[in-house]
Amino acid sequence: MLRLLSRRRRLLMRRFSSSSDHRHVTDLSSSAPHVNQQPLHSLTPLPHSLSLPPPRRSIPSYVFAGTLVSSAALVYYLSDTSSSPSPTSDRIYTDLSETLEKSKCSARRLMTHMKQTGAAAAVLWRSLLSVLTSANQGVRSGFEIRVAALLADIAAANSARRMALVGAGRGVVVDWLLEIVSGNGNGDRGGTQAEAARALAHLVADPAVCEKVLGRPGAVPGLLRFIFTFQPKKPNKNFKHSSLDGLDPSRGRSMLVAALMDIITSNCDTADPASLHPVLSGNASLRDIASAIEVIEQGSIHFENDNNNNDDGDDGDIGMKGIGIKVLGGTTILGFSPGKGEELTVPLHNAVSLPELDRSFSGTVPGLWDDLQREHVAVPFATWALANWALASGTNRLRIQELDKDGQAVMAALMAPERTVKWHGSLVARALLDDPNLPLTGSVPDWSSSLLNTAFDASGSEDVSLVQLALSTFLVSVERSDESKKVIREKGLKLLRGITKQTEKNINLQEMLVRVLGLLCEDNHMNGSSDTHAPLSIEEGQKWSGILIRWIFDQYYPDTMRDTAIRILSRILEDCGPASVPVSQGWLTLLLNEVLGSSQTQNLKGNPPPPQADKVKHRIDHFNASSAMPIANQLASAVVRQAGIHSEPLADFLFLEPFATSLKNVLKQKNPPKFDAADSAIATLQAIKVLSELCSDDIACQTKISNLGALSLLRRFLLRDDYEKLAANATYDASNKSNKNSNNSESNVESGTDNSSIRVPPAAHVRRHAARLLNILSTLPHDKSAIKYDKILCKWLNDCAAGLVQCNDLKLQSYCRSVLLNVSLPENPERKIPQFGDGLFFVNPEMPQGSLANQEEGNKEKNEKMHPTWDVVFVHGLRGGPFNSWRIADNKCSTTSKAGLVENIDKDAGKEGTCWPREWLSMDFPHGRLFTVKYKTNLSDWTGASLPLQEVSSMLLRRLLAAGIGTRPVVFVTHSMGGLVVKQMLFQAKLNNHNEFLHNTAGIVFYSCPHFGSKLADMPWRMGFVLRPAPSVGELRSGSPRLLELNDFIRNLNNKGTLDVLSFSETQVTPIVEGYGGWALRMEIVPIESAYPGFGELVVLDGTDHVNSCKPLNKSDPSYAETLKFLKKLTSQRDKN
């Protein structure tokens, strides 16, 4: 029985399904021969899927009766056998109950579908009979209304029915609906249009079928015509209402308008075009695209006259054929042939007119839903369609470009007041600009200006998504069009700064802005342009400096953004010349504050707090950090004085800290000090010096200032003479003012404009210390690469090192040579590459770079003159210097300096500008590569902090090893405390297993070395409470156990024959303090018993004091002759071995 029921049920389902899915069409004209032969071309034919099927025989009732009787009998049987249950019967009962329940549910669903289908079939059948029996126009319209209403009800049911409706007849149902809604809406088809609009509203609102509906050919033009014809109508007098006509005819139309606005505004917050999925076809026809362009550009659309529907009668008005928004006139839209239609532009009573091209933009409206007028949907929908087409394929973009060759349609969309039109217009422009296969139109500069205005207005209303889309499109336009760059440089920089300030908390927008500014600051000659003018004027560069400084020093911005900002600010410094001095000094001030570790400075607010002592590794670092704070404040004051109190271009820059605080202090003064180029240069010099001291051995500090653009700033200090030009300008102004007052002596005296009052700034010292800091940074991989590929900087460094420019500063030349070697030596993974760091100088920096590089690579095939095989390192003593200590003497018995203090004991001794290792030894001993070192020493803590002997030795050992010294035979030439430093350095090399360095140390020359202590150290130690001796001086006391230990260590090396020693002893007292009338305090600093270590050779220098023991008068002086003899002996011994 159940099998019978199941079989009958399947039969019924097949019959029902075949009935509902029947696809054959019955020709209406042939099935009704008794109807008048009036042509029915005015009646739109139904799609195949809606054609009525042939009548079917009703299902016999005995089938259902038999099923019910059998089911009742089965239930009775199961209930009767329940009194004696068994496992088998229970299982059978359960299975049969489930089967019966499923059969009941299936039967109920079947009956429900049958009822619905039967009702629909009855309606369609009665409608068809009405059409066949009458030729009345109203009857035919009623038939169309019923069909459209039925389709609307089906579309409103669920997603599955909408999907089936769209797929029926391969889209002919959707095409029929689109054809209905695109009619003019006159006469008696207004109700049909409303129901068709209701059906389309449900389809368009469903994301699953929206793409298929709107992607139909002619869908967009049809909907645009619907929008333009949407107008309330008066009812037809001859039309007889049926039961389906009780609905408001405008309801369906309003639903379709709302659905269209929903899809228009659905993606107006997604600024990334890559994430947008285009809804429309990738192969749109020219006619469809042309209709959208026409609506965007002219605010109206062409209508083709329908000869069959031109009798309006008095059924109602003809409706509005356009919304009357005329943006650009006289443009011919391809795809419409003249003579087939007319352009109707009846203006609306309250139409919104788009602004003229040269008018300023109004504020953007975030939404259009508050007072939305149905007539104003046309332009937004057309722009939406154009954007989807442009994003769909390159073919569509090519057709858009062909139809809008002058770009005015896109320009009209960008200029529109509605937000959605601006949004989709920006998408169209972005898609066209991103396509490299499309040529640029002449309107791209206008697009750029409009996009910039849009971004500015949107940033003011905090519409972040619109700002992001407009800026991204604007960025692409600037990247591709040089003309756009020119226009923005001339007229758009103010808007760009406004956007930057209004969106400073949005990192993504700031990153796009810095990229835009980077493009605008590109060199013109790099792009093949003949324009050699600076990208930004001096005033514009100063205005941008404050924003760029924020981009550089704000820790929340990404590194790529910071690097771009550094490059832009460097270009501004290059173009502004001396006017950029406040910016470069301010940059240096912030670098110094960053090194001091101030959290407030990192946020550009407040003054730096004192550094914590526990964060400073050594006492000397703590001293340098403490001295850096007043120097930073002094430099900030110099920035304010140079910028001027009322400097409008630098207002944003001076608003930053610490300049804001300095500006407030200056404003409080009645007579603020005037700017002086020399004072400004001195402040810069001191800041660079202290920054170099802080970063000398601190990798973290070096990395920090490198990331903040220190390399670009140092490049400016080295290559440009800004301070000399400022001083020259001041001298010129003073001279002109003096000439004007030359006839009035009184006014000349009062004016104080004497040219002699203009001081010369220490520009040479600024360059020297800038080169020192550059040498420190040249060991970093990133800066090494940047310097290597900077051709201008490398040429200047090479010219300075080779003496091709006017430079008598050996330190500066040596720094330049070290930088070139650091960046030019090739990387070798098999061996360590030498790095010449801070405190190590070349005695002959003019030596060609290639010879030093080749000798480091171990090329020994050439002669020794070009490739020295020995290293000679000179180490000075207390208060000495890398070059001053080795001058040629003019008097073997020196006097103290003008200051009369022991702190300057070796400052003025010898002939200034001479250096006997450079002038004599380099020629007499060609086997050697000559170096000299520098370390900081003081006699007293009153004059600054200094390192203890052990730390000085460790520091020098690290620097020598890094430079590759010790990989070949080396001789140390030392003076005074320098000998102890070398002895301690060899001792540490032994402890740290630097055996190669220790083995290759062939000899040491000691000039007045206090092997067993110094009387100069004994005096301040006894008076330590007053003189506060430095730690290094305390270690030189007579009888120090440490000195005895070091001397025994060197003695053992000498006894083994691995180390030769040559010692020199002074014989004259040395003046320590001089007074008036020839009074002076003199003492024998290192007596002979302390100068001789007890082994090796000893040379006693007659008539020579401590300072001049290492300063020979001539080549025959024993202090030089014996040293040269000692070096030649060592080389000959090594050659024999």
Side-chain angles (χ1 to χ4, degrees):
M1 183 181 299
L2 291 176
R3 286 195 297 270
L4 177 60
L5 174 61
S6 177
R7 186 166 56 251
R8 288 291 185 179
R9 180 175 177 268
R10 287 196 297 270
L11 178 60
L12 290 174
M13 289 298 295
R14 285 197 299 269
R15 294 179 61 187
F16 176 76
S17 175
S18 62
S19 174
S20 60
D21 294 340
H22 187 68
R23 293 291 186 265
H24 296 289
V25 181
T26 303
D27 192 348
L28 296 181
S29 60
S30 62
S31 62
H34 59 280
V35 182
N36 296 333
Q37 298 301 318
Q38 179 180 354
L40 299 179
H41 59 267
S42 61
L43 176 63
T44 303
L46 290 175
H48 298 303
S49 59
L50 291 180
S51 300
L52 292 178
R56 292 284 185 178
R57 184 178 57 182
S58 61
I59 300 175
S61 61
Y62 64 83
V63 175
F64 296 101
T67 302
L68 294 176
V69 172
S70 300
S71 301
L74 181 61
V75 172
Y76 176 79
Y77 170 78
L78 293 175
S79 62
D80 183 67
T81 58
S82 62
S83 59
S84 58
S86 65
T88 304
S89 63
D90 289 342
R91 186 172 60 255
I92 295 174
Y93 176 79
T94 303
D95 295 339
L96 291 176
S97 298
E98 293 177 356
T99 303
L100 182 60
E101 186 64 30
K102 293 180 180 179
S103 299
K104 291 179 180 180
C105 295
S106 300
R108 282 195 295 267
R109 287 197 299 269
L110 179 62
M111 294 300 296
T112 302
H113 289 311
M114 290 176 61
K115 290 180 180 179
Q116 293 176 351
T117 306
V123 172
L124 291 175
W125 182 254
R126 287 195 298 270
S127 300
L128 181 59
L129 291 178
S130 299
V131 173
L132 295 177
T133 57
S134 175
N136 183 271
Q137 182 68 25
V139 175
R140 292 197 301 271
S141 298
F143 170 72
E144 290 181 347
I145 291 176
R146 285 166 173 78
V147 174
L150 177 61
L151 294 177
D153 292 338
I154 295 174
N158 53 54
S159 179
R161 293 190 177 184
R162 286 189 290 271
M163 185 68 72
L165 190 64
V166 171
R170 298 182 180 180
V172 294
V173 176
V174 176
D175 291 341
W176 183 75
L177 292 174
L178 291 170
E179 184 178 353
I180 291 296
V181 299
S182 64
N184 55 23
N186 300 334
D188 48 12
R189 297 186 66 184
T192 306
Q193 187 189 49
E195 290 302 321
R198 184 165 67 93
L200 286 175
H202 291 299
L203 297 177
V204 170
D206 189 349
V209 299
C210 176
E211 183 174 351
K212 296 181 179 179
V213 173
L214 297 178
R216 298 294 300 172
V220 171
L223 290 173
L224 287 174
R225 285 193 290 270
F226 159 75
I227 294 170
F228 282 121
T229 59
F230 180 25
Q231 192 74 11
K233 305 295 295 180
K234 292 183 294 184
N236 191 342
K237 298 178 181 179
N238 300 324
F239 180 71
K240 296 181 180 180
H241 295 278
S242 65
S243 60
L244 295 177
D245 297 331
L247 299 176
D248 182 7
S250 64
R251 178 173 175 268
R253 300 171 180 174
S254 298
M255 290 176 60
L256 182 54
V257 169
L260 293 177
M261 286 305 301
D262 283 342
I263 65 170
I264 291 171
T265 58
S266 60
N267 61 351
C268 285
D269 289 325
T270 305
D272 184 12
S275 63
L276 298 177
H277 175 68
V279 177
L280 301 183
S281 170
N283 189 23
S285 66
L286 282 172
R287 187 180 184 87
D288 290 356
I289 296 175
S291 63
I293 291 178
E294 182 184 22
V295 171
I296 296 171
E297 189 174 3
Q298 298 188 5
S300 60
I301 191 171
H302 287 76
F303 280 85
E304 294 185 0
N305 293 331
D306 189 350
N307 297 327
N308 300 317
N309 292 321
N310 55 6
D311 186 10
D312 296 320
D314 57 351
D315 291 337
D317 57 71
I318 61 174
M320 295 298 179
K321 305 301 183 185
I323 59 175
I325 304 178
K326 297 292 291 182
V327 181
L328 296 173
T331 304
T332 301
I333 300 298
L334 300 179
F336 292 92
S337 56
K340 293 185 178 181
E342 59 177 344
E343 182 182 0
L344 301 178
T345 55
V346 181
L348 299 175
H349 180 66
N350 293 322
V352 179
S353 298
L354 293 176
E356 298 295 335
L357 288 180
D358 57 349
R359 292 179 58 186
S360 60
F361 285 76
S362 61
T364 58
V365 182
L368 300 175
W369 294 105
D370 294 336
D371 299 318
L372 179 64
Q373 299 294 324
R374 293 189 297 265
E375 294 86 351
H376 300 161
V377 182
V379 174
F381 179 66
T383 314
W384 172 87
L386 199 64
N388 278 266
W389 279 324
L391 295 174
S393 68
T395 302
N396 287 348
R397 290 190 289 272
L398 179 60
R399 291 172 180 174
I400 293 173
Q401 187 92 320
E402 291 176 354
L403 295 172
D404 188 31
K405 293 183 178 180
D406 55 1
Q408 294 304 314
V410 178
M411 186 64 188
L414 296 175
M415 297 272 303
E418 295 90 353
R419 181 185 186 274
T420 55
V421 180
K422 289 178 180 291
W423 181 276
H424 293 104
S426 300
L427 285 178
V428 175
R430 175 68 183 272
L432 296 178
L433 291 170
D434 276 337
D435 194 336
N437 298 322
L438 296 179
L440 295 179
T441 66
S443 298
V444 172
D446 295 332
W447 294 2
S448 300
S449 300
S450 180
L451 289 165
L452 186 60
N453 278 279
T454 299
F456 178 78
D457 294 337
S459 64
S461 59
E462 298 182 357
D463 190 350
V464 178
S465 57
L466 182 57
V467 177
Q468 188 170 357
L469 177 60
L471 270 184
S472 63
T473 309
F474 172 74
L475 175 61
V476 179
S477 69
V478 174
E479 285 177 343
R480 292 201 60 187
S481 174
D482 292 336
E483 190 65 26
S484 294
K485 295 179 184 178
K486 183 178 179 181
V487 171
I488 300 302
R489 286 171 186 155
E490 294 175 354
K491 302 178 181 179
L493 291 175
K494 183 177 180 180
L495 291 178
L496 205 59
R497 281 196 305 275
I499 299 172
T500 304
K501 295 177 182 178
Q502 292 171 354
T503 61
E504 62 181 5
K505 296 181 180 180
N506 191 305
I507 297 178
N508 294 330
L509 296 179
Q510 295 289 302
E511 192 169 3
M512 281 193 288
L513 288 165
V514 74
R515 289 179 59 192
V516 170
L517 190 61
L519 292 172
L520 295 177
C521 292
E522 285 182 348
D523 290 332
N524 295 325
H525 63 83
M526 294 177 60
N527 301 324
S529 175
S530 60
D531 186 8
T532 58
H533 294 85
L536 301 181
S537 64
I538 295 178
E539 183 177 353
E540 283 293 341
Q542 292 176 338
K543 289 179 179 180
W544 277 102
S545 60
I547 297 174
L548 291 167
I549 284 293
R550 286 185 179 275
W551 284 340
I552 294 173
F553 284 89
D554 197 321
Q555 59 183 347
Y556 299 106
Y557 291 131
D559 293 338
T560 54
M561 181 176 174
R562 182 179 297 109
D563 294 341
T564 305
I566 290 172
R567 187 175 67 252
I568 297 171
L569 190 57
S570 302
R571 180 58 195 266
I572 290 176
L573 296 181
E574 185 76 16
D575 296 334
C576 292
S580 67
V581 168
V583 179
S584 61
Q585 286 183 326
W587 195 350
L588 181 60
T589 304
L590 295 176
L591 283 177
L592 190 55
N593 285 339
E594 283 291 328
V595 173
L596 294 177
S598 169
S599 59
Q600 291 181 345
T601 305
Q602 293 175 359
N603 295 325
L604 304 180
K605 296 180 180 179
N607 292 324
Q612 301 295 328
D614 56 353
K615 294 183 180 180
V616 183
K617 295 180 180 179
H618 306 292
R619 295 176 63 252
I620 189 170
D621 296 330
H622 180 54
F623 173 80
N624 290 333
S626 300
S627 62
M629 291 184 295
I631 292 176
N633 294 331
Q634 179 183 357
L635 189 59
S637 300
V639 170
V640 174
R641 288 195 297 270
Q642 167 67 3
I645 299 176
H646 304 290
S647 177
E648 181 179 356
L650 289 171
D652 292 336
F653 186 85
L654 296 179
F655 183 73
L656 305 175
E657 290 291 350
F659 315 117
T661 302
S662 299
L663 181 60
K664 293 179 181 178
N665 296 333
V666 171
L667 292 175
K668 293 179 182 179
Q669 301 177 8
K670 295 182 178 180
N671 297 315
K674 297 181 180 180
F675 169 76
D676 183 81
D679 291 337
S680 181
I682 292 173
T684 302
L685 172 63
Q686 293 176 344
I688 299 176
K689 287 177 64 176
V690 72
L691 190 60
S692 301
E693 293 292 341
L694 290 171
C695 297
S696 180
D697 292 306
D698 191 341
I699 300 297
C701 174
Q702 297 172 17
T703 304
K704 176 179 287 187
I705 66 172
S706 174
N707 293 336
L708 296 177
L711 182 61
S712 299
L713 189 60
L714 296 175
R715 186 182 189 275
R716 178 67 187 178
F717 291 141
L718 289 172
L719 301 183
R720 294 295 177 264
D721 50 355
D722 292 334
Y723 295 103
E724 293 97 324
K725 291 182 179 179
L726 289 175
N729 292 337
T731 303
Y732 179 78
D733 294 340
S735 176
N736 288 340
K737 192 172 183 180
S738 178
N739 292 333
K740 292 180 180 179
N741 299 328
S742 60
N743 297 328
N744 191 341
S745 60
E746 182 178 356
S747 62
N748 188 28
V749 173
E750 293 179 356
S751 63
T753 57
D754 187 7
N755 294 343
S756 60
S757 63
I758 306 299
R759 297 180 298 161
V760 178
H765 288 78
V766 172
R767 285 195 180 90
R768 177 203 295 175
H769 289 278
R772 178 194 176 190
L773 186 54
L774 182 66
N775 183 32
I776 294 172
L777 297 180
S778 65
T779 59
L780 299 177
H782 179 269
D783 287 349
K784 181 185 299 186
S785 176
I787 296 172
K788 182 177 181 179
Y789 293 104
D790 190 339
K791 296 181 179 179
I792 297 178
L793 179 60
C794 286
K795 183 180 184 305
W796 186 91
L797 292 172
N798 186 70
D799 291 346
C800 182
L804 300 180
V805 296
Q806 293 182 355
C807 178
N808 297 322
D809 192 336
L810 290 178
K811 290 183 180 179
L812 175 58
Q813 290 181 265
S814 180
Y815 288 137
C816 294
R817 179 61 64 196
S818 297
V819 172
L820 290 173
L821 288 174
N822 289 338
V823 303
S824 62
L825 289 178
E827 296 291 339
N828 189 346
E830 297 181 357
R831 63 190 297 257
K832 186 178 180 180
I833 301 300
Q835 295 292 325
F836 302 92
D838 188 33
L840 183 64
F841 299 91
F842 291 98
V843 174
N844 298 98
E846 68 277 3
M847 180 182 296
Q849 178 179 345
S851 62
L852 288 177
N854 290 333
Q855 72 182 19
E856 290 298 339
E857 295 174 4
N859 187 354
K860 299 181 179 180
E861 298 180 357
K862 295 185 179 181
N863 57 67
E864 293 182 348
K865 185 175 181 180
M866 291 300 298
H867 304 288
T869 57
W870 283 70
D871 286 336
V872 180
V873 182
F874 292 82
V875 184
H876 65 81
L878 278 173
R879 300 302 298 165
F883 293 100
N884 291 347
S885 294
W886 314 104
R887 291 174 178 172
I888 300 174
D890 55 359
N891 184 1
K892 299 295 284 186
C893 296
S894 65
T895 59
T896 60
S897 65
K898 297 179 181 179
L901 298 177
V902 71
E903 284 292 338
N904 299 315
I905 190 173
D906 198 19
K907 183 178 180 180
D908 299 326
K911 296 180 180 179
E912 185 175 359
T914 60
C915 180
W916 63 266
R918 171 181 170 82
E919 299 177 22
W920 298 341
L921 190 61
S922 61
M923 300 298 295
D924 297 337
F925 187 69
H927 308 281
R929 181 177 59 161
L930 309 183
F931 292 96
T932 180
V933 299
K934 177 185 178 182
Y935 61 95
K936 189 173 183 178
T937 60
N938 291 298
L939 290 174
S940 171
D941 278 349
W942 290 111
T943 56
S946 60
L947 291 175
L949 179 63
Q950 184 174 355
E951 294 193 24
V952 171
S953 301
S954 299
M955 177 191 66
L956 288 181
L957 179 61
R958 290 194 304 270
R959 293 176 179 176
L960 294 177
L961 291 174
I965 296 175
T967 58
R968 68 182 72 192
V970 58
V971 178
F972 291 96
V973 181
T974 68
H975 176 239
S976 187
M977 180 183 167
L980 301 179
V981 170
V982 172
K983 292 167 73 174
Q984 176 67 36
M985 185 170 57
L986 294 176
F987 183 78
Q988 291 181 351
K990 177 66 175 179
L991 294 179
N992 297 324
N993 297 322
H994 297 300
N995 297 323
E996 183 183 20
F997 181 85
L998 187 63
H999 175 74
N1000 284 327
T1001 302
I1004 305 177
V1005 178
F1006 294 108
Y1007 286 100
S1008 299
C1009 177
H1011 296 286
F1012 304 105
S1014 171
K1015 294 181 180 180
L1016 181 64
D1018 295 337
M1019 181 182 68
W1021 189 259
R1022 297 188 183 98
M1023 304 176 62
F1025 193 77
V1026 177
L1027 298 180
R1028 293 179 60 189
S1032 55
V1033 175
E1035 294 174 332
L1036 300 182
R1037 287 178 298 150
S1038 298
S1040 171
R1042 182 61 182 163
L1043 297 183
L1044 296 176
E1045 182 182 6
L1046 290 177
N1047 197 65
D1048 291 339
F1049 172 72
I1050 300 299
R1051 186 195 302 274
N1052 292 333
L1053 295 178
N1054 180 258
N1055 292 338
K1056 293 178 181 179
T1058 60
L1059 180 68
D1060 288 337
V1061 174
L1062 173 63
S1063 301
F1064 292 90
S1065 173
E1066 64 196 66
T1067 56
Q1068 295 290 328
V1069 295
T1070 302
I1072 303 301
V1073 180
E1074 274 189 354
Y1076 292 101
W1079 175 87
L1081 173 63
R1082 296 177 173 86
M1083 69 167 52
E1084 189 178 21
I1085 296 178
V1086 180
I1088 190 172
E1089 58 270 17
S1090 182
Y1092 181 56
F1095 51 89
E1097 301 180 27
L1098 174 65
V1099 178
V1100 178
L1101 300 174
D1102 295 333
T1104 303
D1105 62 9
H1106 180 79
V1107 174
N1108 289 287
S1109 63
C1110 60
K1111 296 179 177 63
L1113 288 170
N1114 48 52
K1115 287 188 176 183
S1116 61
D1117 192 312
S1119 58
Y1120 175 75
E1122 293 297 329
T1123 298
L1124 179 60
K1125 179 180 177 182
F1126 178 74
L1127 293 174
K1128 291 182 177 181
K1129 182 186 72 172
L1130 292 177
T1131 56
S1132 62
Q1133 290 177 354
R1134 285 291 176 120
D1135 293 339
K1136 292 179 182 180
N1137 295 333

